[in-house]
Amino acid sequence: MQIIRNRTLYDVVIIGSGAGGGMAAKVLTEAGANVLMLEAGPMWDPVKDSNMMRWNYDSPRRGGSIPARQGGEYDAALGGWTLDGEPYTNAPGSEFGWFRSRMLGGRTNHWGRISLRFGPDDFRRKSVDGLGDDWPITYDDIKPYYDEVDKLVGVFGANLGPRFPNEPDGIWLPPPQPRCYEHLIRQASEKLDIPCVTARLSILTRPHNGRAACHYCGQCNRGCMTHSNFSSPSVLLPPAMATGRLQIVAGAMAREVTVDANGLADGVAYIDKATGQDNHVRGRIVVLAASACESARILLNSRSARFPQGLGNSTGNVGRYLTDSTGLGVTGFIPSMMDMPPHNEDGVGGMHLYMPWWLDNKKLDFPRGYHIEISGGRRMPGGGFGGGIQNHTGTDASGAALDFGGYGAKLKNDYRRLYGATVNFAGRGEMIPNRDTYLDLDPRTVDKWGIPVLRFHFAWSDNERKQGKHMQETFRAIIQQMGGTPMSSMPGPEDDYGLAAGGRIIHELGVTRMGSAPSTSVLNKYCQAHDAKNVFVTDGGPFVSQADKNCTWTILALSMRTSTYIAEQRKAGAL
């Protein structure tokens, strides 16, 4: 096999350009390092490539998903649950979905911008309830970096006060006003003593650091032409490029991290996807930020005489402690919201209110918790709009039974009457790592470049099933408090109470976790490999526990902390 070897020696080679890779590139180039970034997908510019201003009716598919964009044909994210020529497998009895977005910025082009800090208890869960493990760092260790991320990126929100000691304060932009249906949800939930508070999203409500405020088109998932929400190509990569010290190689599929005779990383082998040619680039330091599972795959494939089980895997911990958020949703039909006059629903492309975890686990039959994301209202109709109209059942204000459907003029009028009369509740909760959930290399399957693929082993425990049951009961109670009807029947234990399969919430974490002891972890408290001091991981892999919060804000803060440490070590001559 002929390998094209680049003789340039870079200070740092970063694999991946999303939240963790983009932050590492920004911090390290601004600290003076010459950085090469390998990105498996194509370049992508939100100004040129966004479909933000397209109407769904411009397409015969009305914006529905297509194989190349499984989040919708106008969605920014390329890819989805399957990629041509890049399979993964599930062990017998397991079901795990792996969402991948091969493009500049990765999945920061896809996410919901829900930007929640982990709280003090999230870093010491074993000390709180005896399950899982504590992190080797505390909230106080990472708080300064959360603050810097808030100031750099911009996030709207509000402090929640003493009732929520595990929901830390932040540095907020002003929040947008709640929409009509959000007011109604809050009125109902508060009657059940379920707090409904200001959401925390990284979308600008006023100009910030040279970026324009959101103009409320509501299409954040299509890529923001005005850079008003967070993505790596909008916020992190431009300042790194401005230093003149960042070079990006797109279409570069990383195969393995190579090591020298001393067991230290000396570069990265990758495949040029345009030519199929094997290449090698040299680096003094390697930062993996390809997403938690992809980085674990690269490490497992980085086999050598020194590391026959893969780099970082001397104690067999790469791939262990895989988690995803628990997740399920319930939609409710609210008759009082029918026949609404046209009204203003200005706002960002996401919720303005949400519900943080509010209960004491000592009074429940499951550990940890979940938060609730709410949605509804009069968004742009697209493919699938109005489907299941016959499931809108209930009674009107006079007590008469409601009946929708049929054909012709009546059907069209029914759609108009029902437009905006549903609400949705989505739970996102904490999974506790278990022994049956991990990933490894499939011994029989390779991708189209001959690289061994991942095999997932996944199982929910009763902890998560009981949490799912609680979500179902809570969401249905709020809908009924609103005078509405849930549009689905309550699932039972045989269906895990409706929990989405592992991976489907796209919050996969762990698999290269940090820890104090090499026997139980891959990385130390600076996300530095125990096996090789010049290898770091800055995506979701180092997480020790999941928390009931979305993970991107913590990935950004951890990457900033790790990259600052790398810069300090370089300055001291230790790396």
Side-chain angles (χ1 to χ4, degrees):
M1 178 172 62
Q2 182 182 15
I3 300 175
I4 306 300
R5 299 186 183 277
N6 184 338
R7 293 301 86 194
T8 301
L9 177 60
Y10 293 89
D11 295 324
V12 184
V13 177
I14 299 174
I15 306 173
S17 61
M23 180 62 80
K26 178 185 183 299
V27 173
L28 291 168
T29 55
E30 290 180 344
N34 290 314
V35 174
L36 180 75
M37 173 177 281
L38 301 176
E39 166 52 52
M43 300 295 284
W44 200 83
D45 183 341
V47 176
K48 299 177 182 175
D49 301 324
S50 169
N51 286 305
M52 192 169 77
M53 296 301 182
R54 300 286 296 275
W55 292 101
N56 284 331
Y57 56 67
D58 287 341
S59 161
R61 293 170 294 275
R62 302 294 188 264
S65 64
I66 58 176
R69 280 191 165 94
Q70 295 166 29
E73 66 180 308
Y74 295 142
D75 194 84
L78 303 177
W81 305 105
T82 58
L83 295 176
D84 184 35
E86 296 186 44
Y88 57 89
T89 64
N90 276 286
S94 291
E95 183 181 1
F96 189 90
W98 188 19
F99 189 101
R100 292 161 293 173
S101 186
R102 305 281 198 224
M103 61 190 298
L104 190 71
R107 297 189 301 195
T108 67
N109 297 294
H110 173 81
W111 73 308
R113 278 82 189 178
I114 299 169
S115 304
L116 306 176
R117 296 186 183 201
F118 282 22
D121 286 349
D122 295 321
F123 293 93
R124 58 182 196 95
R125 282 299 181 189
K126 184 175 183 179
S127 297
V128 174
D129 60 21
L131 299 172
D133 282 290
D134 290 342
W135 292 53
I137 61 174
T138 68
Y139 177 74
D140 288 340
D141 290 321
I142 198 171
K143 178 184 182 301
Y145 301 95
Y146 276 133
D147 290 346
E148 291 303 313
V149 172
D150 285 1
K151 289 187 282 189
L152 169 68
V153 177
V155 53
F156 72 74
N159 295 341
L160 301 185
R163 182 177 178 182
F164 299 96
N166 202 42
E167 309 293 336
D169 297 346
I171 301 170
W172 310 116
L173 299 175
Q177 290 297 311
R179 303 175 175 97
C180 174
Y181 72 89
E182 291 174 319
H183 280 294
L184 295 175
I185 289 174
R186 180 159 63 183
Q187 289 173 10
S189 68
E190 290 182 347
K191 289 179 181 176
L192 299 172
D193 197 28
I194 301 171
C196 188
V197 304
T198 300
R200 300 171 170 185
L201 271 64
S202 49
I203 301 173
L204 304 184
T205 53
R206 66 184 182 197
H208 186 75
N209 288 342
R211 296 157 49 215
C214 176
H215 53 278
Y216 290 170
C217 76
Q219 302 297 339
C220 289
N221 62 320
R222 296 181 174 188
C224 186
M225 299 171 65
T226 58
H227 305 298
S228 301
N229 63 23
F230 171 74
S231 72
S232 182
S234 281
V235 181
L236 302 176
L237 297 179
M241 293 296 293
T243 66
R245 290 187 281 271
L246 174 63
Q247 180 181 346
I248 300 174
V249 179
M253 186 73 189
R255 179 193 294 277
E256 64 178 299
V257 178
T258 57
V259 297
D260 63 17
N262 297 315
L264 294 176
D266 62 6
V268 178
Y270 69 95
I271 297 162
D272 182 333
K273 293 168 69 174
T275 64
Q277 180 68 54
D278 279 86
N279 292 264
H280 183 266
V281 61
R282 302 166 66 208
R284 293 185 175 90
I285 298 167
V286 174
V287 175
L288 293 105
S291 82
C293 297
E294 189 68 45
S295 290
R297 179 191 179 198
I298 294 168
L299 288 174
L300 290 170
N301 278 312
S302 301
R303 300 173 182 173
S304 62
R306 182 68 175 265
F307 302 110
Q309 299 182 81
L311 181 59
N313 198 33
S314 295
T315 54
N317 284 296
V318 174
R320 295 284 168 182
Y321 313 107
L322 171 66
T323 62
D324 185 27
S325 294
T326 58
L328 61 82
V330 178
T331 297
F333 166 47
I334 313 298
S336 63
M337 293 169 62
M338 283 196 312
D339 303 312
M340 281 278 192
H343 59 273
N344 190 345
E345 282 205 346
D346 270 359
V348 303
M351 60 192 183
H352 294 181
L353 301 177
Y354 87 118
M355 302 169 193
W357 179 238
W358 70 102
L359 293 174
D360 181 356
N361 290 101
K362 295 177 183 176
K363 301 176 181 178
L364 301 169
D365 64 352
F366 62 90
R368 316 295 168 89
Y370 60 88
H371 74 264
I372 307 171
E373 300 173 4
I374 63 176
S375 59
R378 299 185 160 211
R379 304 300 176 87
M380 185 196 301
F385 170 78
I389 192 171
Q390 73 280 2
N391 295 323
H392 291 72
T393 59
T395 58
D396 64 16
S398 68
L402 293 167
D403 179 32
F404 301 100
Y407 60 91
K410 177 184 180 303
L411 179 62
K412 292 181 179 178
N413 190 54
D414 283 352
Y415 283 130
R416 295 187 182 97
R417 295 188 66 196
L418 293 171
Y419 184 34
T422 58
V423 293
N424 181 266
F425 300 87
R428 298 289 182 262
E430 179 169 357
M431 172 189 180
I432 299 171
N434 66 66
R435 295 176 58 86
D436 298 323
T437 297
Y438 59 96
L439 60 80
D440 57 11
L441 295 178
D442 190 307
R444 292 175 293 276
T445 308
V446 298
D447 66 15
K448 61 183 176 183
W449 294 286
I451 304 174
V453 307
L454 289 181
R455 176 176 59 184
F456 291 95
H457 308 252
F458 195 89
W460 297 120
S461 74
D462 282 345
N463 291 329
E464 289 82 39
R465 294 187 186 94
K466 291 176 180 176
Q467 191 184 93
K469 179 174 182 286
H470 194 273
M471 289 183 191
Q472 289 277 357
E473 293 169 345
T474 300
F475 302 164
R476 291 166 191 277
I478 299 173
I479 291 168
Q480 289 162 359
Q481 183 66 42
M482 296 178 75
T485 306
M487 296 181 67
S488 59
S489 57
M490 172 84 178
E494 67 280 6
D495 297 316
D496 289 341
Y497 295 102
L499 285 176
R504 287 285 163 176
I505 307 302
I506 320 179
H507 290 167
E508 65 271 14
L509 297 173
V511 302
T512 58
R513 76 171 185 175
M514 60 165 67
S516 300
S519 60
T520 57
S521 60
V522 177
L523 312 168
N524 68 14
K525 65 180 181 180
Y526 293 107
C527 302
Q528 181 179 28
H530 294 303
D531 275 0
K533 70 176 185 178
N534 64 344
V535 175
F536 296 81
V537 182
T538 63
D539 48 34
F543 283 47
V544 177
S545 59
Q546 180 85 37
D548 56 72
K549 287 114 179 176
N550 306 49
C551 50
T552 301
W553 222 240
T554 300
I555 291 175
L556 289 168
L558 273 180
S559 178
M560 180 182 282
R561 180 175 183 270
T562 293
S563 303
T564 301
Y565 174 78
I566 294 171
E568 292 170 350
Q569 292 295 296
R570 288 188 69 242
K571 187 176 181 180
L575 284 175

